[in-house]
């Protein structure tokens, strides 16, 4: 790897990770707003994911019942943040590589692709572990998952494109 390609990788992945973090913040804000407006409870799917993944990996989450529960409640949202940052980092690499060639992905394609990637990386593990079955979701369930993920895509894309207005 040459120094130039290392710079591309670093600046693309770091910018993307920051864009993904901004997108994740927007997704979380939209989710919490939905909870507040509809008075719906928080989902337990991320805590179930952590518990099942730890069991499958034979990893013990330490602490007594309360401490373990608190750790699991913290690890669930951290997993979601990791997904958002990782999707953003990959998007940053792609964006940077395309920009070096004078190309870009238009917003009409990039926004839903970013949202779908984050949604898939969040929902597929839940499905594979038997925690959730999207085939049984009602329209409001799909909307409460898809809309925040589209917002994630829009914010992530916007942050990635900020270098073009400098």
């Amino acid at each position: 790897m040459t120094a130039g390609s290392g710079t591309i990788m670093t600046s693309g992945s770091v910018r993307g990770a920051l864009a993904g973090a901004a997108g994740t913040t927007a997704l979380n804000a939209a989710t919490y707003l939905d909870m507040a407006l509809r008075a719906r409870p928080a989902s337990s799917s991320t805590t179930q994911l952590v518990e099942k993944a730890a069991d499958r990996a034979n990893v013990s989450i330490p602490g007594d019942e309360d401490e373990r529960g608190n750790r699991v409640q913290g690890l669930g949202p951290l997993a979601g943040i990791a997904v958002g940052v990782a999707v953003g980092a990959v998007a940053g690499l792609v964006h940077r590589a395309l920009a070096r060639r004078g190309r870009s992905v238009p917003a009409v394609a990039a926004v839903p692709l970013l949202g779908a990637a984050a949604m898939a990386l969040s929902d597929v593990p839940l499905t594979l572990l038997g925690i959730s079955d999207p085939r049984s979701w009602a329209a409001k369930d799909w909307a409460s998952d898809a809309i925040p993920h589209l917002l994630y895509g829009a914010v992530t894309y916007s942050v990635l494109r900020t270098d073009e207005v400098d």
Side-chain angles (χ1 to χ4, degrees):
M1 176 189 303
T2 66
S5 64
T7 303
I8 290 169
M9 184 177 295
T10 301
S11 64
S13 62
V14 169
R15 180 186 271 313
L18 293 171
T24 300
T25 300
L27 181 149
N28 288 337
T31 299
Y32 295 135
L33 179 61
D34 178 47
M35 289 168 58
L37 292 174
R38 294 194 302 145
R40 71 173 180 86
S43 172
S44 64
S45 61
T46 57
T47 57
Q48 292 175 48
L49 174 68
V50 169
E51 289 172 334
K52 284 196 175 195
D55 287 345
R56 286 211 176 170
N58 286 330
V59 173
S60 175
I61 299 172
D64 63 29
E65 188 176 333
D66 287 340
E67 290 170 339
R68 183 182 185 285
N70 292 340
R71 284 190 173 102
V72 168
Q73 285 183 354
L75 289 169
L78 284 173
I81 293 168
V83 165
V85 170
V87 169
V90 171
L93 290 172
V94 170
H95 175 75
R96 182 72 169 185
L98 289 172
R100 291 272 188 193
R101 291 168 180 77
R103 298 177 167 261
S104 66
V105 178
V108 69
V111 168
L113 282 172
L114 287 166
M119 191 167 162
L121 285 173
S122 298
D123 293 345
V124 168
L126 297 174
T127 303
L128 292 175
L129 291 172
I131 296 166
S132 181
D133 183 359
R135 295 174 296 184
S136 69
W137 292 1
K140 68 179 179 177
D141 300 324
W142 276 101
S144 67
D145 198 29
I147 292 169
H149 281 96
L150 281 173
L151 183 58
Y152 166 87
V155 170
T156 301
Y157 180 79
S158 295
V159 173
L160 282 174
R161 300 287 296 221
T162 57
D163 64 336
E164 295 167 11
V165 279
D166 290 345

